[in-house]
Amino acid sequence: MKLFVALLLCALAISSSFAFDPSPLQDICVAVDEPKNAVFVNGKFCKNPNLTVADDFLFRGINIPRDTNNNVGSIVTTVAVDQLPGLNTLGISLARIDYARHGLNPPHIHPRATEVIMCVEGELYVGFVLSNQLGNRLITQVLKPGDVFVFPFAMIHFQLNIGKTAAVAISSLSSQNPGVITVANAVFGSKPPIKEDVLTKAFQVDKKVIDDLQSQFWYDNHH
Protein backbone atom coordinates (compact mmCIF):
# COMPACT_ATOMS: atom_id res chain seq x y z
CA MET A 1 0.00 0.00 0.00
CA LYS A 2 2.84 2.39 0.89
CA LEU A 3 4.52 1.58 -2.40
CA PHE A 4 1.27 2.28 -4.27
CA VAL A 5 0.86 5.65 -2.51
CA ALA A 6 4.47 6.56 -3.24
CA LEU A 7 4.06 5.67 -6.93
CA LEU A 8 0.79 7.63 -7.10
CA LEU A 9 2.43 10.72 -5.59
CA CYS A 10 5.35 10.44 -8.02
CA ALA A 11 2.93 10.13 -10.95
CA LEU A 12 0.98 13.20 -9.82
CA ALA A 13 4.19 15.16 -9.35
CA ILE A 14 5.45 14.23 -12.81
CA SER A 15 2.14 15.00 -14.52
CA SER A 16 1.84 18.38 -12.78
CA SER A 17 5.38 19.28 -13.80
CA PHE A 18 4.35 19.00 -17.45
CA ALA A 19 1.09 20.97 -17.05
CA PHE A 20 1.24 24.54 -18.31
CA ASP A 21 -0.76 27.17 -20.13
CA PRO A 22 0.17 27.50 -23.81
CA SER A 23 2.23 30.56 -24.66
CA PRO A 24 0.20 33.35 -26.26
CA LEU A 25 0.36 33.36 -30.06
CA GLN A 26 -0.97 36.87 -30.57
CA ASP A 27 -0.75 40.16 -28.68
CA ILE A 28 -4.13 39.90 -26.94
CA CYS A 29 -6.86 37.26 -26.65
CA VAL A 30 -9.90 38.50 -24.68
CA ALA A 31 -12.24 35.78 -23.42
CA VAL A 32 -15.79 35.66 -24.80
CA ASP A 33 -18.77 33.68 -23.54
CA GLU A 34 -20.21 32.94 -26.96
CA PRO A 35 -18.12 31.15 -29.63
CA LYS A 36 -20.05 33.07 -32.29
CA ASN A 37 -18.31 36.23 -31.02
CA ALA A 38 -14.83 34.72 -31.36
CA VAL A 39 -12.50 35.55 -34.23
CA PHE A 40 -9.76 33.01 -33.54
CA VAL A 41 -8.29 30.74 -30.91
CA ASN A 42 -4.78 31.05 -29.44
CA GLY A 43 -3.13 30.79 -32.83
CA LYS A 44 -5.16 29.87 -35.90
CA PHE A 45 -8.06 27.53 -36.56
CA CYS A 46 -6.97 24.24 -38.08
CA LYS A 47 -7.87 23.25 -41.62
CA ASN A 48 -9.42 19.82 -42.07
CA PRO A 49 -6.34 17.56 -42.53
CA ASN A 50 -8.10 15.76 -45.38
CA LEU A 51 -8.29 19.05 -47.30
CA THR A 52 -4.64 20.08 -46.96
CA VAL A 53 -2.50 20.42 -50.07
CA ALA A 54 1.23 20.76 -50.69
CA ASP A 55 0.95 24.54 -51.15
CA ASP A 56 -0.17 24.85 -47.53
CA PHE A 57 3.41 23.97 -46.57
CA LEU A 58 5.25 25.97 -49.23
CA PHE A 59 6.65 29.52 -49.38
CA ARG A 60 8.52 30.60 -52.50
CA GLY A 61 10.97 33.42 -53.08
CA ILE A 62 13.00 33.69 -49.87
CA ASN A 63 16.06 33.83 -52.16
CA ILE A 64 14.89 37.04 -53.86
CA PRO A 65 16.61 40.26 -52.66
CA ARG A 66 14.20 42.88 -51.30
CA ASP A 67 14.22 46.66 -51.76
CA THR A 68 16.11 48.34 -48.89
CA ASN A 69 15.46 51.90 -50.07
CA ASN A 70 13.78 53.15 -46.89
CA ASN A 71 14.51 55.20 -43.76
CA VAL A 72 16.53 52.49 -42.00
CA GLY A 73 18.10 50.77 -45.00
CA SER A 74 16.81 47.29 -44.28
CA ILE A 75 13.81 45.08 -44.93
CA VAL A 76 12.67 41.95 -43.13
CA THR A 77 10.78 39.31 -45.11
CA THR A 78 8.86 37.23 -42.60
CA VAL A 79 7.78 33.65 -43.18
CA ALA A 80 5.45 33.03 -40.24
CA VAL A 81 2.02 31.43 -39.97
CA ASP A 82 0.32 34.30 -41.81
CA GLN A 83 2.55 33.71 -44.83
CA LEU A 84 2.90 29.91 -44.51
CA PRO A 85 -0.25 28.33 -43.01
CA GLY A 86 1.44 24.96 -42.58
CA LEU A 87 3.48 26.43 -39.72
CA ASN A 88 0.38 26.52 -37.50
CA THR A 89 1.07 24.77 -34.13
CA LEU A 90 4.67 23.95 -35.13
CA GLY A 91 6.35 26.68 -33.07
CA ILE A 92 8.84 27.91 -35.68
CA SER A 93 9.18 30.63 -38.31
CA LEU A 94 11.79 32.14 -40.59
CA ALA A 95 12.88 35.53 -41.84
CA ARG A 96 15.21 36.98 -44.45
CA ILE A 97 16.82 40.34 -43.67
CA ASP A 98 18.29 42.49 -46.44
CA TYR A 99 20.56 45.41 -45.53
CA ALA A 100 21.75 48.28 -47.70
CA ARG A 101 25.23 49.66 -47.01
CA HIS A 102 25.09 51.05 -43.46
CA GLY A 103 21.56 49.63 -43.19
CA LEU A 104 20.11 49.00 -39.74
CA ASN A 105 17.53 46.59 -38.40
CA PRO A 106 16.62 48.89 -35.48
CA PRO A 107 16.45 47.82 -31.82
CA HIS A 108 13.37 45.63 -31.40
CA ILE A 109 12.04 42.63 -29.51
CA HIS A 110 10.11 39.52 -30.44
CA PRO A 111 7.60 39.15 -27.58
CA ARG A 112 7.05 35.46 -28.29
CA ALA A 113 10.37 34.11 -29.55
CA THR A 114 14.07 33.44 -29.33
CA GLU A 115 15.92 34.21 -32.58
CA VAL A 116 18.92 32.52 -34.18
CA ILE A 117 20.48 34.56 -36.99
CA MET A 118 23.02 33.56 -39.62
CA CYS A 119 24.99 36.03 -41.71
CA VAL A 120 24.82 34.96 -45.35
CA GLU A 121 26.49 37.91 -47.06
CA GLY A 122 28.34 40.99 -45.83
CA GLU A 123 29.44 41.94 -42.33
CA LEU A 124 27.01 42.66 -39.48
CA TYR A 125 27.44 44.27 -36.07
CA VAL A 126 24.79 42.62 -33.91
CA GLY A 127 23.85 42.80 -30.27
CA PHE A 128 21.27 42.50 -27.53
CA VAL A 129 20.72 44.16 -24.17
CA LEU A 130 20.24 42.20 -20.97
CA SER A 131 17.45 42.98 -18.50
CA ASN A 132 17.50 45.65 -15.77
CA GLN A 133 18.34 42.93 -13.25
CA LEU A 134 21.64 42.37 -15.05
CA GLY A 135 22.45 46.04 -15.43
CA ASN A 136 21.30 46.37 -19.05
CA ARG A 137 24.64 44.95 -20.19
CA LEU A 138 25.18 45.08 -23.95
CA ILE A 139 26.34 41.87 -25.67
CA THR A 140 27.72 42.44 -29.17
CA GLN A 141 29.55 40.56 -31.93
CA VAL A 142 30.62 41.07 -35.53
CA LEU A 143 29.23 38.43 -37.88
CA LYS A 144 30.73 37.35 -41.19
CA PRO A 145 29.26 34.87 -43.70
CA GLY A 146 28.56 31.55 -42.01
CA ASP A 147 28.53 33.00 -38.46
CA VAL A 148 25.51 32.24 -36.27
CA PHE A 149 24.33 34.30 -33.27
CA VAL A 150 21.47 33.92 -30.79
CA PHE A 151 19.19 36.67 -29.50
CA PRO A 152 17.63 35.37 -26.26
CA PHE A 153 13.88 35.34 -25.74
CA ALA A 154 12.25 38.81 -25.77
CA MET A 155 15.55 40.73 -25.41
CA ILE A 156 16.05 44.04 -27.25
CA HIS A 157 18.37 43.37 -30.17
CA PHE A 158 19.59 44.89 -33.44
CA GLN A 159 21.78 44.40 -36.52
CA LEU A 160 23.85 47.01 -38.36
CA ASN A 161 25.59 46.47 -41.70
CA ILE A 162 29.18 47.60 -41.17
CA GLY A 163 30.56 46.10 -44.38
CA LYS A 164 31.37 47.77 -47.67
CA THR A 165 28.56 46.01 -49.56
CA ALA A 166 24.93 45.07 -49.06
CA ALA A 167 24.32 42.27 -46.56
CA VAL A 168 21.88 39.41 -46.10
CA ALA A 169 20.93 37.33 -43.06
CA ILE A 170 18.55 34.47 -42.41
CA SER A 171 16.95 34.04 -39.01
CA SER A 172 14.92 31.30 -37.37
CA LEU A 173 12.46 32.08 -34.57
CA SER A 174 10.91 29.84 -31.93
CA SER A 175 7.29 30.78 -32.60
CA GLN A 176 4.86 30.46 -35.48
CA ASN A 177 4.00 34.12 -34.78
CA PRO A 178 6.97 35.75 -33.02
CA GLY A 179 5.65 39.30 -33.32
CA VAL A 180 7.88 42.36 -33.36
CA ILE A 181 7.99 45.57 -31.33
CA THR A 182 10.41 48.14 -32.73
CA VAL A 183 11.42 50.19 -29.71
CA ALA A 184 11.49 53.66 -31.29
CA ASN A 185 8.27 53.06 -33.23
CA ALA A 186 6.44 51.86 -30.13
CA VAL A 187 7.65 54.65 -27.83
CA PHE A 188 7.54 57.63 -30.18
CA GLY A 189 5.11 56.47 -32.86
CA SER A 190 2.31 54.92 -30.80
CA LYS A 191 -1.30 55.70 -31.72
CA PRO A 192 -2.47 57.69 -29.86
CA PRO A 193 0.85 59.20 -28.74
CA ILE A 194 2.19 58.57 -25.25
CA LYS A 195 1.76 61.71 -23.14
CA GLU A 196 4.75 64.05 -23.28
CA ASP A 197 4.93 64.17 -19.48
CA VAL A 198 5.62 60.45 -19.46
CA LEU A 199 8.37 60.61 -22.09
CA THR A 200 10.11 63.78 -20.87
CA LYS A 201 10.46 62.27 -17.41
CA ALA A 202 11.37 58.78 -18.66
CA PHE A 203 14.10 60.05 -21.02
CA GLN A 204 15.06 63.12 -18.94
CA VAL A 205 14.91 65.43 -21.94
CA ASP A 206 13.16 68.65 -22.87
CA LYS A 207 9.63 68.68 -24.30
CA LYS A 208 10.97 69.96 -27.65
CA VAL A 209 13.04 66.82 -28.06
CA ILE A 210 9.97 64.63 -27.51
CA ASP A 211 7.89 66.75 -29.89
CA ASP A 212 10.54 66.33 -32.58
CA LEU A 213 10.78 62.56 -32.07
CA GLN A 214 7.01 62.10 -32.09
CA SER A 215 6.72 64.11 -35.30
CA GLN A 216 9.06 61.72 -37.17
CA PHE A 217 7.82 59.06 -39.59
CA TRP A 218 8.71 55.77 -37.91
CA TYR A 219 9.17 53.22 -40.69
CA ASP A 220 8.24 49.59 -40.05
CA ASN A 221 10.80 47.47 -41.92
CA HIS A 222 9.10 44.14 -41.10
CA HIS A 223 6.91 42.69 -43.88
Side-chain angles (χ1 to χ4, degrees):
M1 182 65 179
K2 289 182 179 179
L3 178 60
F4 173 76
V5 172
L7 289 173
L8 178 62
L9 290 173
C10 285
L12 289 172
I14 292 171
S15 64
S16 64
S17 69
F18 287 103
F20 63 94
D21 288 334
S23 298
L25 294 172
Q26 62 275 318
D27 288 349
I28 55 175
C29 186
V30 179
V32 292
D33 293 329
E34 291 293 330
K36 66 181 181 181
N37 295 326
V39 291
F40 48 57
V41 292
N42 186 26
K44 300 282 188 180
F45 286 115
C46 295
K47 187 176 185 179
N48 184 333
N50 295 324
L51 300 178
T52 57
V53 295
D55 282 350
D56 292 332
F57 304 92
L58 176 68
F59 179 91
R60 297 185 188 276
I62 200 70
N63 61 309
I64 300 172
R66 266 58 178 187
D67 184 5
T68 56
N69 184 24
N70 57 56
N71 292 13
V72 294
S74 72
I75 195 76
V76 180
T77 303
T78 303
V79 186
V81 69
D82 285 340
Q83 295 79 28
L84 183 55
L87 288 175
N88 195 33
T89 76
L90 299 184
I92 56 172
S93 57
L94 181 77
R96 172 190 172 119
I97 310 113
D98 288 276
Y99 312 83
R101 284 191 63 191
H102 313 301
L104 171 70
N105 191 9
H108 61 281
I109 69 170
H110 299 292
R112 295 178 286 275
T114 295
E115 179 178 1
V116 179
I117 189 170
M118 182 179 75
C119 180
V120 178
E121 298 176 12
E123 190 172 1
L124 298 172
Y125 171 70
V126 305
F128 63 89
V129 181
L130 296 175
S131 66
N132 295 12
Q133 292 172 303
L134 296 177
N136 299 126
R137 189 158 66 95
L138 175 63
I139 309 292
T140 64
Q141 187 57 268
V142 173
L143 303 185
K144 296 184 178 181
D147 291 344
V148 175
F149 194 77
V150 178
F151 300 122
F153 189 93
M155 296 290 177
I156 294 176
H157 59 283
F158 60 86
Q159 305 107 42
L160 174 67
N161 182 7
I162 59 172
K164 296 179 180 180
T165 64
V168 179
I170 295 290
S171 69
S172 178
L173 301 108
S174 62
S175 171
Q176 68 182 48
N177 183 25
V180 61
I181 301 172
T182 305
V183 177
N185 298 38
V187 174
F188 299 112
S190 67
K191 299 177 181 62
I194 298 173
K195 286 185 177 296
E196 292 173 344
D197 291 345
V198 174
L199 298 180
T200 52
K201 182 162 288 189
F203 289 94
Q204 298 293 291
V205 295
D206 187 82
K207 177 180 178 294
K208 291 182 180 179
V209 176
I210 299 300
D211 288 342
D212 181 58
L213 288 170
Q214 288 188 323
S215 68
Q216 302 295 319
F217 173 71
W218 296 100
Y219 182 79
D220 181 10
N221 68 327
H222 288 74
H223 294 275

